[in-house]
Amino acid sequence: MGRSVIELAGVSKRYRLGQHHGSGADLREMMSRVARRLRPSEQAAPDDEIWSLRNVSFDVTEGTALGIIGANGAGKSTLLKVINNITTPTEGTSRTRGRIGSLLEVGTGFHPELTGLENTYLNGAILGMTRREVMRRLDEIVAFAGLERFMDTPVKRYSSGMYLRLGFAIAAHMEADILLVDEVLAVGDAEFQRRCLGKMNEVEHSGRTVLFVSHNLDALTRLCTRSVWLERGQVRAIGPTSELVNQYMRAASPAGSRITFDADGSLAAQVMSLTVWDEHDAEVTTIGLRDRAWVVVELMVDEVVPGLDVSCVISTRTGVAITSHLLSECGSVSMTQPGWYRLACLIPSVLMPGEFVVSLWVGTQYETVQQFDDVLAFTVEGDDEGRKRRLVRLATEWRAERLDDHARGDD
Amino acid sequence: MRSVEASSRTDDDWIVNAPSTRWWPELRVRQLWVHRELVAFFALRDLQVRYKQAFFGAAWAIIQPMIGALGFTLLFHHLAGVDVPGSSYFAFALVGFGAWSYFTGTIGSGAGSLVRNANLLTKVSFPRIVAPASSWLPGLIDLAVSLVLAGVATLVAGGSLTPIELVAFLPFGVVLLVVSVAGPALFLSATVVKYRDAQALVSFGLQFLLFVTPVAYPPDLVPVRWRPLLYLNPVAGAIGALRTALVDAGSPSGWNLGLSCAVGLLLFIIGLVRFRRGEREFADII
């Protein structure tokens, strides 16, 4: 075990909501406070505080990659801001050792009028690099960003992709001991994302520390061995990422076997309920390996919508879509009259044991009427026969032919 | 080593980020020197931006003080009859206009410096003082141009420049001017973060200050016994020192100069304390 480079001890952060976040107030507020004091019957101002972090404590040892997971508003970004010294905790202490690099919001501080080169020096300086350091790594930065021909162009003429690539390249080439990463992978094309992941791996293998916040649980599991799970500002659990991701996803998705929706009169077609049925038409949350089961949708059609179609997507908890099926592809059903319809989509019996989620889309070629992402979960149970991490098992076959009766090396 | 300055430092190279318990903040003036490169980069950015896509470009730095001083000369010298014995009024006005433009321009950009860089402040960890500090620099170029023009105007009008006075009073005057701007600018930048209307107050205050600063008139117009009141304004001392160096028009007494320096320094410390006390909150309330 290396020495620790980040130590958080009882860190809490309070924000005030509303217009004035600070401790003071404006003239109007001051006057109304005086008025309130004159009339004691009136209640005190409502408590408009929010604790974005509450008593967070953990240590990070040198050279590890730590993931941070949690729903929106769980305090992930605030945590990174505290560690990065951007904001001061209201209570508790955050201590860090070494230079901190951050891939939060890359490209912040670019000036649109300045050229790529000028911005590289400026941004490098803002991130804490010396001029000499930027000069030494300039070729690498430019090559990584792939902007050799555009360094003398003002960045206001850059596309958003170029902007992002330059920002990331500068931040990634800073010699940081601790690297903070927040959702950069959500942007950029696939090739660039691959390079980013590679860069982060490289940073980790060089003995530096990475803190990675992402909703991309797949990438998180690959990069980080351990993770912290934040919930409403508090640490809910710390442990191996794969375990934590499983727990997190189970907690984040509905447990019930049936989802119902309230009618919204404004829609022409409206999903009323969504369930999973087994072969005997019983509502279930667990199906056996190779069992036939159905995703059952009840749909209320108030007005006939020409070309109305329904699509059902089955994906993993980590967001990898496995199958999707359009109602119109099956050809047989059509909703040419108003009424209450029950549609059932067969879950292909190829899924390996694990947890899956269902998304549903209702619409036409031109518009989306309703869409529900990851709205229903079900589990496939059974023996995976030692094939871990496979999502599906599909029938396939091998062929073997003998091409020659001599062994190769003989002649 | 940059972020070390973001909070206090302990023996073991730890950077500590925790709520402050002290009433009197550490002033950490040295931070300005440690991060001089970043200060310069910020200043350079503002200069570069100013001259991009500009028609007059650098010529503006000459045109502006010439027109300003010409206006002063017409208005105060020819119409109002203000005279400066022993010197060309035009040279006298050039120093006053140059110093006053530096003062007002830098107070304004200094006050808004944190708000202008709000997105950096909330997303990147860099020493906050760099933003206001960098706004003290770009105006120095225009000031230098005005001062050179004033020297030339003195020579053209048949006056003379004494090397000793130049070496002694020119740097002194410039430093005093920068310090007198820096304090209020620091104070205002931290205040504008919270109350944006502080900036409107600034331009109002500056208009008033113009009347009580010997920019267009010589301090001799004020009776000797009231003159220290004039020099309570450190800008008056700075302009006096600059005129001593570049214009043959008498110089402020040592006492009065000392008074300006003391007030300037006091304002600087007040501004810095205000800034340091607010610093930790900037990212949360901006």
Side-chain angles (χ1 to χ4, degrees):
Chain A
M1 287 299 267
R3 53 179 199 158
S4 69
V5 287
I6 301 174
E7 291 183 8
L8 299 178
V11 169
S12 299
K13 178 72 188 175
R14 178 187 57 204
Y15 284 103
R16 289 176 204 274
L17 303 173
Q19 276 275 318
H20 295 277
H21 305 272
S23 43
D26 62 14
L27 185 63
R28 208 184 51 187
E29 221 171 292
M30 264 157 70
M31 280 162 61
S32 72
R33 206 180 302 154
V34 170
R36 219 177 286 131
R37 211 169 294 155
L38 293 176
R39 282 184 297 166
S41 63
E42 211 151 316
Q43 282 189 345
D47 201 8
D48 56 355
E49 299 174 345
I50 184 164
W51 287 90
S52 184
L53 291 176
R54 203 78 216 239
N55 201 13
V56 173
S57 305
F58 62 83
D59 293 356
V60 186
T61 36
E62 194 166 29
T64 52
L66 183 78
I68 298 171
I69 56 180
N72 287 332
K76 305 185 296 287
S77 303
T78 309
L79 183 66
L80 290 194
K81 279 187 177 181
V82 168
I83 291 173
N84 198 12
N85 267 314
I86 290 171
T87 185
T88 311
T90 314
E91 288 165 14
T93 310
S94 151
R95 306 204 299 161
T96 51
R97 182 151 43 189
R99 188 152 86 170
I100 302 178
S102 129
L103 299 183
L104 316 153
E105 323 252 1
V106 295
T108 308
F110 278 178
H111 198 289
E113 296 288 346
L114 301 182
T115 67
L117 192 67
E118 289 163 343
N119 266 309
T120 303
Y121 279 103
L122 176 68
N123 206 241
I126 292 170
L127 297 179
M129 283 188 264
T130 60
R131 196 163 37 96
R132 205 171 295 161
E133 210 177 322
V134 178
M135 256 192 274
R136 202 172 57 230
R137 315 211 62 172
L138 187 62
D139 291 340
E140 271 175 78
I141 293 174
V142 175
F144 187 89
L147 293 172
E148 288 86 347
R149 289 172 45 227
F150 302 100
M151 290 312 279
D152 293 322
T153 310
V155 298
K156 65 177 172 184
R157 311 229 187 282
Y158 277 23
S159 70
S160 53
M162 291 158 78
Y163 200 90
L164 180 87
R165 282 192 335 248
L166 185 59
F168 186 87
I170 299 167
H173 284 82
M174 173 181 169
E175 282 149 15
D177 304 303
I178 301 168
L179 189 66
L180 309 178
V181 187
D182 189 0
E183 288 299 355
V184 271
L185 303 173
V187 274
D189 55 23
E191 156 70 10
F192 186 66
Q193 288 189 11
R194 199 182 51 71
R195 274 198 282 172
C196 295
L197 283 171
K199 188 78 200 172
M200 284 165 59
N201 248 327
E202 190 185 301
V203 168
E204 192 196 340
H205 287 302
S206 64
R208 287 175 284 172
T209 311
V210 180
L211 247 67
F212 186 28
V213 171
S214 181
H215 289 289
N216 183 342
L217 298 174
D218 241 19
L220 203 93
T221 314
R222 256 180 292 143
L223 272 164
C224 309
T225 43
R226 288 173 65 76
S227 285
V228 172
W229 174 4
L230 283 182
E231 195 176 64
R232 270 173 268 122
Q234 289 172 311
V235 175
R236 169 140 172 198
I238 301 180
T241 305
S242 49
E243 247 171 64
L244 228 61
V245 164
N246 276 331
Q247 289 176 29
Y248 169 68
M249 289 182 311
R250 209 165 298 137
S253 64
S257 60
R258 178 189 188 90
I259 306 284
T260 53
F261 302 94
D262 292 329
D264 172 352
S266 66
L267 292 172
Q270 154 102 40
V271 176
M272 301 308 293
S273 75
L274 192 63
T275 47
V276 174
W277 282 8
D278 67 5
E279 303 177 85
H280 314 293
D281 293 355
E283 284 178 15
V284 290
T285 53
T286 303
I287 58 180
L289 191 69
R290 297 194 192 91
D291 283 356
R292 282 163 66 87
W294 305 82
V295 174
V296 179
V297 184
E298 289 191 0
L299 189 70
M300 174 76 96
V301 178
D302 279 339
E303 290 166 44
V304 173
V305 181
L308 189 68
D309 211 343
V310 178
S311 168
C312 168
V313 182
I314 295 171
S315 29
T316 66
R317 296 273 208 174
T318 50
V320 178
I322 301 168
T323 64
S324 73
H325 298 281
L326 270 176
L327 179 68
S328 59
E329 284 171 336
C330 302
S332 56
V333 205
S334 57
M335 292 168 285
T336 48
Q337 278 180 350
W340 186 296
Y341 289 86
R342 174 183 290 153
L343 314 167
C345 175
L346 180 69
I347 299 171
S349 51
V350 298
L351 300 178
M352 290 291 279
E355 286 185 282
F356 299 90
V357 287
V358 178
S359 302
L360 196 74
W361 170 89
V362 179
T364 67
Q365 225 177 321
Y366 309 105
E367 59 163 353
T368 296
V369 177
Q370 276 193 302
Q371 186 171 346
F372 305 97
D373 291 329
D374 301 342
V375 69
L376 186 70
F378 65 91
T379 308
V380 176
E381 273 186 355
D383 182 9
D384 64 7
E385 294 158 358
R387 296 184 175 95
K388 300 273 180 222
R389 294 192 55 142
R390 270 42 160 210
L391 296 178
V392 295
R393 37 169 277 282
L394 297 170
T396 181
E397 57 185 60
W398 282 85
R399 279 169 37 176
E401 290 170 61
R402 192 171 188 210
L403 297 177
D404 197 348
D405 48 17
H406 296 295
R408 272 229 159 194
D410 280 1
D411 43 27
Chain B
M1 298 321 288
R2 175 185 53 90
S3 36
V4 169
E5 267 70 25
S7 14
S8 60
R9 186 176 179 166
T10 60
D11 22 306
D12 202 13
D13 279 354
W14 283 101
I15 302 159
V16 178
N17 185 5
S20 171
T21 48
R22 0 173 10 141
W23 174 80
W24 182 263
E26 287 178 84
L27 294 183
R28 284 179 287 143
V29 183
R30 223 174 63 84
Q31 199 180 39
L32 287 173
W33 177 249
V34 173
H35 297 289
R36 60 190 181 281
E37 207 176 272
L38 187 54
V39 173
F41 265 119
F42 269 69
L44 201 65
R45 174 193 70 181
D46 291 344
L47 271 178
Q48 280 173 326
V49 170
R50 198 197 310 174
Y51 291 120
K52 294 235 161 160
Q53 295 200 346
F55 176 72
F56 283 111
W60 195 237
I62 297 177
I63 298 170
Q64 219 175 353
M66 291 296 269
I67 292 179
L70 215 62
F72 274 18
T73 308
L74 281 175
L75 205 70
F76 291 95
H77 187 57
H78 291 295
L79 289 180
V82 174
D83 204 9
V84 189
S87 155
S88 114
Y89 181 85
F90 186 65
F92 176 89
L94 268 171
V95 174
F97 182 84
W100 186 253
S101 311
Y102 174 79
F103 182 70
T104 53
T106 306
I107 287 264
S109 75
S113 59
L114 289 172
V115 174
R116 266 203 313 282
N117 289 300
N119 69 331
L120 270 184
L121 231 59
T122 54
K123 285 165 191 163
V124 185
S125 153
F126 69 99
R128 273 63 177 110
I129 201 165
V130 164
S134 65
S135 64
W136 308 335
L137 301 182
L140 286 178
I141 293 185
D142 303 84
L143 178 66
V145 171
S146 299
L147 295 183
V148 168
L149 289 176
V152 171
T154 300
L155 292 177
V156 168
S160 62
L161 299 175
T162 336
I164 292 202
E165 281 180 341
L166 270 180
V167 171
F169 285 98
L170 195 59
F172 173 76
V174 171
V175 169
L176 180 54
L177 187 61
V178 172
V179 170
S180 0
V181 171
L186 277 174
F187 191 97
L188 288 168
S189 68
T191 307
V192 170
V193 166
K194 202 159 176 181
Y195 301 108
R196 297 289 192 274
D197 44 3
Q199 204 146 22
L201 217 62
V202 173
S203 46
F204 177 74
L206 284 177
Q207 280 175 9
F208 169 75
L209 210 57
L210 177 61
F211 298 118
V212 296
T213 310
V215 175
Y217 56 89
D220 311 0
L221 289 188
V222 179
V224 179
R225 51 191 294 239
W226 296 115
R227 224 169 279 165
L229 283 182
L230 204 62
Y231 285 101
L232 271 178
N233 171 6
V235 182
I239 292 180
L242 292 174
R243 280 181 180 151
T244 306
L246 295 166
V247 184
D248 302 316
S251 49
S253 75
W255 284 113
N256 284 339
L257 264 189
L259 185 62
S260 281
C261 287
V263 174
L265 205 62
L266 184 69
L267 290 181
F268 181 76
I269 291 172
I270 292 174
L272 190 57
V273 168
R274 166 83 180 94
F275 190 89
R276 291 300 185 198
R277 291 188 67 178
E279 194 172 30
R280 293 161 165 277
E281 263 193 328
F282 288 164
D284 296 338
I285 59 179
I286 201 160

